[in-house]
Amino acid sequence: MKPELFIIGGPKCGTTALCTYLAGHPAICFSEPKEPKFFHTDFAGAHRLVHDEAEYMARFAYDPQRHRMLAEGTVWYLYSQTAVSNILAFNPDARFVVMIRNPVDLAYSLHSQLLYGGDEEVESFEEAWRLQEARKASQQVPSGARDPKALLYGEVAKLGEQVERLLSVVPRERVLVVNHEDFSQNPQREYRKVLDFAGLPDDARDSFERVNENRALRRNPLTSILFQLRKVKLALGIRGSFGIWQALQPLVAKRAQRAGLPEAFADELREHFKADIERLEHLVELDLTAWKSTASHSPDKASTDSP
């Protein structure tokens, strides 16, 4: 059996929470970790976790007596130019779940995540936003960045463009779109929609805990040491975290709520994303008017990545 259900993004749209809930379903064999990071071959090797099919399949503890479906949730597949085609070559029957979010909030939240994880080092989101053109030219890229493409916030958050590319190669009936706002307000309803899309029975889950809320780094010597070790690991091409970050996380991180964006900058971002939002509205047949006029800058109910 090959993985059939792919939760492919976008980043910071609630996929970690959804994957956590799906991993608890008795009929689903979910990958460990949630993001095997295999099919986005247009990303640098340091950004990918596994590099061959045997290693990829080893991430699934499949039990034929229990499991009816294999699933995984790498959030960079939607943004990638190659991942979906690679997945279809691997399994032509693949089904895709796409989670969408106000792109202003997505981009702001992604900056916070990448700063926390060590890919980003510019603490001001507005400053990091204005570095995108330089970073496209491989300039002013942080030494801890696994791939500069992840730092192009204006491109990562253009979900309309990415969904259009997805639907150009995948039939609409094999794509489910979940709105982050709907998922945050009623996770049980949206979770059941995903199960129905996957052809799986409701497992009567009634607990939907908050998962992977926004965090910020504690500025202390231990944090500095860990980030220096991370840079050495990347330079040597060593993959995996060996559980060190997770074990020490309480000492180096804290829950944090992001401040609101300056209104002039928020207006600039809304204008940047306006045409792409309209494209997405047409593709998924949802009214996203509020995205073009407001940006909540709210703390995440759930996010999608780990450092």
Side-chain angles (χ1 to χ4, degrees):
M1 180 178 285
K2 291 184 175 182
E4 181 180 348
L5 185 66
F6 294 83
I7 295 83
I8 60 173
K12 309 308 295 180
C13 292
T15 62
T16 293
L18 176 60
C19 293
T20 298
Y21 308 152
L22 291 172
H25 192 289
I28 297 177
C29 174
F30 215 93
S31 62
E32 178 57 44
K34 165 249 188 185
E35 294 189 77
K37 299 179 180 177
F38 175 48
F39 291 104
H40 58 321
T41 52
D42 53 335
F43 274 66
H47 204 280
R48 298 171 62 216
L49 184 60
V50 298
H51 291 76
D52 64 66
E53 185 173 324
E55 186 181 7
Y56 176 70
M57 292 304 300
R59 300 289 171 168
F60 298 88
Y62 172 59
D63 180 351
Q65 301 302 316
R66 296 173 49 229
H67 296 134
R68 291 174 48 186
M69 177 172 285
L70 275 63
E72 66 125 303
T74 302
V75 300
W76 295 100
Y77 290 167
L78 182 63
Y79 175 48
S80 166
Q81 297 279 344
T82 63
V84 171
S85 295
N86 288 337
I87 290 169
L88 292 173
F90 170 75
N91 185 354
D93 297 322
R95 284 179 267 186
F96 301 86
V97 176
V98 175
M99 301 190 75
I100 63 173
R101 184 180 186 180
N102 181 331
V104 177
D105 290 337
L106 190 164
Y108 189 22
S109 182
L110 178 62
H111 170 262
S112 180
Q113 179 72 37
L114 296 182
L115 188 66
Y116 171 70
D119 288 272
E120 178 62 271
E121 61 185 17
V122 177
E123 296 200 13
S124 164
F125 175 45
E126 184 169 357
E127 290 181 25
W129 176 267
R130 304 202 187 288
L131 286 173
Q132 291 179 97
E133 288 304 315
R135 288 169 167 178
K136 284 182 183 178
S138 300
Q139 300 170 6
Q140 301 189 58
V141 176
S143 58
R146 290 167 290 181
D147 192 306
K149 287 193 291 294
L151 303 171
L152 304 181
Y153 304 103
E155 300 301 316
V156 177
K158 282 187 175 178
L159 299 179
E161 178 181 301
Q162 296 163 36
V163 169
E164 185 174 65
R165 183 169 62 241
L166 171 68
L167 293 177
S168 72
V169 293
V170 180
R172 183 64 179 87
E173 64 270 16
R174 289 193 359 232
V175 176
L176 176 68
V177 176
V178 177
N179 191 328
H180 176 270
E181 286 82 358
D182 294 338
F183 183 63
S184 296
Q185 292 167 10
N186 194 332
Q188 185 177 58
R189 180 189 63 207
E190 300 305 308
Y191 170 72
R192 287 176 174 169
K193 285 183 182 178
V194 176
L195 293 182
D196 185 61
F197 171 71
L200 295 173
D202 183 8
D203 60 348
R205 171 184 278 272
D206 57 9
S207 175
F208 295 87
E209 67 280 6
R210 295 170 72 90
V211 177
N212 204 9
E213 297 171 278
N214 188 65
R215 293 180 178 271
L217 293 171
R218 301 180 189 274
R219 299 299 179 184
N220 57 39
L222 179 58
T223 303
S224 298
I225 291 170
L226 287 177
F227 273 86
Q228 289 303 315
L229 289 174
R230 182 182 186 277
K231 291 177 181 179
V232 171
K233 185 185 76 171
L234 288 175
L236 295 175
I238 300 172
R239 291 178 283 141
S241 66
F242 310 109
I244 296 174
W245 182 271
Q246 288 75 12
L248 297 178
Q249 192 175 79
L251 300 177
V252 300
K254 58 185 177 182
R255 290 183 181 176
Q257 183 170 339
R258 291 182 301 280
L261 292 172
E263 194 56 35
F265 181 43
D267 285 342
E268 177 186 338
L269 296 178
R270 284 191 283 270
E271 185 60 31
H272 174 86
F273 290 117
K274 182 179 178 181
D276 190 74
I277 293 171
E278 291 171 350
R279 179 188 296 187
L280 184 62
E281 281 184 308
H282 174 72
L283 290 167
V284 302
E285 299 180 336
L286 291 175
D287 181 3
L288 304 175
T289 303
W291 290 10
K292 292 175 279 186
S293 59
T294 62
S296 63
H297 320 317
S298 59
D300 291 330
K301 175 183 176 64
S303 63
T304 56
D305 286 335
S306 58

